[in-house]
Amino acid sequence: MDVTDAPCAVMDRLPEGFLDCPADKLSDILPGPTLFDLPGRDPHPLFVSTLLHGNEYSGLEAMQQVLRRHAARGLPRSLLFFVGNIRAASVNLRTLDGERDYNRVWPGTLYPGEQQSEMAQWVYDYAARRGLFASIDIHNNTGFNPHYACVRKLEPKFIALAQLFSRIVVHFQRPVGTQAAAFANLCPAITVECGKAGAGSATQHAIELVEAALSIAQLPDHAPAPHDVDLLRTYAIVKPPAGSTFSFDGSLADFMFRPDIDHLNFSELAPGASFGVARAGVALDILPGDGDGSPGEYFDYAGGEITLTRSAIPAMLTVDPRAVQLDCLCYLMHRIGMDGERL
């Protein structure tokens, strides 16, 4: 594939200093988003993407350590390694003002034809020609969450790849335009959430996953035993409505969320669980996480208190206002079986 006019840098070797370069200094040695095409003994590549969000750098640190380990003997499997939003990384932000989220611009995006989407399409097409073994997109998050994997398809190889990282696996259909959703059409593909950036366990866990995916010959074709996987599906995405105000520290706002709200992540919440208080006349937006149908109501606002009206398992709750503005307050999940049916 001709890379002369590629919309991102394409390199077949690591530039001097890359393995020791922190995320906020990458712009000193890379011209922009960069795809590394590195050979290995098995020609079917593993695709790994990092820094799709500039302040989520555990994936970069993990890949630097993996590549350092294999520098002398070479990689056991070929590697397509994409380093995304280095400009946002230089200022430790998820995205820069005025640009699209790098994990919302892949094929299937709501923004086709835009510059970032065309770049993502080009990377996708480049990878599609290579007969990928698997794809891993490495992320951090801002709240208290266990480490978990996300899959777009409930197929045995997808689940097996996810289990290399965690027994907690989340099946998602939205948001669209994510790297994992696009690459699910090419190979087993997962997103992994490694907890907070800067935590040593986040980097180490990502290293273990990538090493396993580079080393195994194949992924099993049979479904896992039910007790070996904790399978959930995103049914609803919760956002404060556009133009509303919110706080986590008790300061006056339309929504005053409890200060420990992120400690509710992955808890089995019963009806009546409180998320905080709301001004009269406002309500949270509940968007579908599972297909296009309405997810229905999840909250009641009687007496100004925001309470669940039915049981749910939240994920990605955060007390970071910018993260809420750029993404959402949380996702609401329910347990499912391998057949996709809600339990």
Side-chain angles (χ1 to χ4, degrees):
M1 188 172 183
D2 183 16
V3 300
T4 306
D5 298 319
C8 67
V10 182
M11 301 183 182
D12 60 4
R13 65 193 66 189
L14 302 174
E16 185 72 26
F18 175 82
L19 293 180
D20 300 305
C21 187
D24 63 353
K25 300 300 182 185
L26 279 178
S27 57
D28 294 339
I29 60 174
L30 296 179
T34 301
L35 178 65
F36 293 102
D37 189 342
L38 305 175
R41 291 185 290 277
D42 187 323
H44 298 290
L46 173 69
F47 187 98
V48 177
S49 50
T50 64
L51 285 181
L52 296 190
H53 297 145
N55 59 352
E56 299 176 13
Y57 50 82
S58 291
L60 172 70
E61 293 177 345
M63 291 304 296
Q64 289 170 326
Q65 293 197 41
V66 167
L67 290 166
R68 194 178 295 117
R69 288 180 183 183
H70 294 281
R73 291 185 300 164
L75 292 163
R77 177 182 295 284
S78 295
L79 177 68
L80 292 176
F81 172 34
F82 183 69
V83 182
N85 198 342
I86 66 170
R87 290 199 308 146
S90 70
V91 288
N92 197 36
L93 291 176
R94 176 185 172 107
T95 61
L96 297 178
D97 292 340
E99 71 177 359
R100 298 294 183 193
D101 186 320
Y102 268 53
N103 203 29
R104 301 292 186 269
V105 297
W106 297 86
T109 179
L110 298 175
Y111 316 106
E114 295 187 3
Q115 184 177 4
Q116 286 173 245
S117 302
E118 290 181 347
M119 177 199 67
Q121 180 70 59
W122 190 94
V123 173
Y124 175 90
D125 292 340
Y126 185 102
R129 295 170 182 259
R130 296 293 302 280
L132 293 181
F133 170 70
S135 171
I136 298 169
D137 182 27
I138 305 176
H139 286 263
N140 296 107
N141 45 66
T142 57
F144 288 91
N145 293 276
H147 293 189
Y148 65 97
C150 303
V151 298
R152 183 63 181 81
K153 296 183 179 181
L154 289 176
E155 296 178 4
K157 288 187 176 184
F158 284 69
I159 302 300
L161 180 63
Q163 285 180 296
L164 293 177
F165 183 73
S166 176
R167 71 183 309 276
I168 304 172
V169 181
V170 175
H171 178 236
F172 75 98
Q173 292 183 293
R174 292 178 179 273
V176 298
T178 65
Q179 189 275 343
F183 276 64
N185 295 313
L186 303 178
C187 63
I190 60 173
T191 297
V192 293
E193 295 286 351
C194 299
K196 293 187 176 184
S201 60
T203 300
Q204 184 57 40
H205 202 175
I207 291 170
E208 292 166 1
L209 168 65
V210 172
E211 290 281 17
L214 285 171
S215 301
I216 60 174
Q218 59 186 6
L219 294 165
D221 249 332
H222 56 81
H227 59 268
D228 286 337
V229 60
D230 188 8
L231 192 58
L232 306 105
R233 175 181 290 147
T234 302
Y235 278 84
I237 303 171
V238 182
K239 298 185 176 189
S244 65
T245 58
F246 57 90
S247 68
F248 298 97
D249 60 3
S251 57
L252 288 176
D254 295 329
F255 300 95
M256 294 180 287
F257 299 115
R258 50 190 283 184
D260 63 345
I261 196 169
D262 56 339
H263 289 264
L264 300 177
N265 284 323
F266 283 83
S267 299
E268 307 242 11
L269 300 182
S274 176
F275 276 43
V277 296
R279 181 176 57 79
V282 299
L284 294 166
D285 287 341
I286 312 296
L287 308 176
D290 178 33
D292 296 318
S294 170
E297 289 301 321
Y298 271 89
F299 294 99
D300 183 77
Y301 302 89
E305 189 170 11
I306 309 167
T307 56
L308 276 176
T309 57
R310 47 179 158 156
S311 61
I313 302 170
M316 301 289 279
L317 280 164
T318 178
V319 295
D320 182 335
R322 183 173 173 84
V324 175
Q325 290 167 346
L326 292 174
D327 190 14
C328 65
L329 175 68
C330 71
Y331 299 86
L332 295 176
M333 308 179 295
H334 299 282
R335 298 189 187 282
I336 59 171
M338 276 297 295
D339 59 1
E341 293 299 316
R342 184 170 162 180
L343 299 178

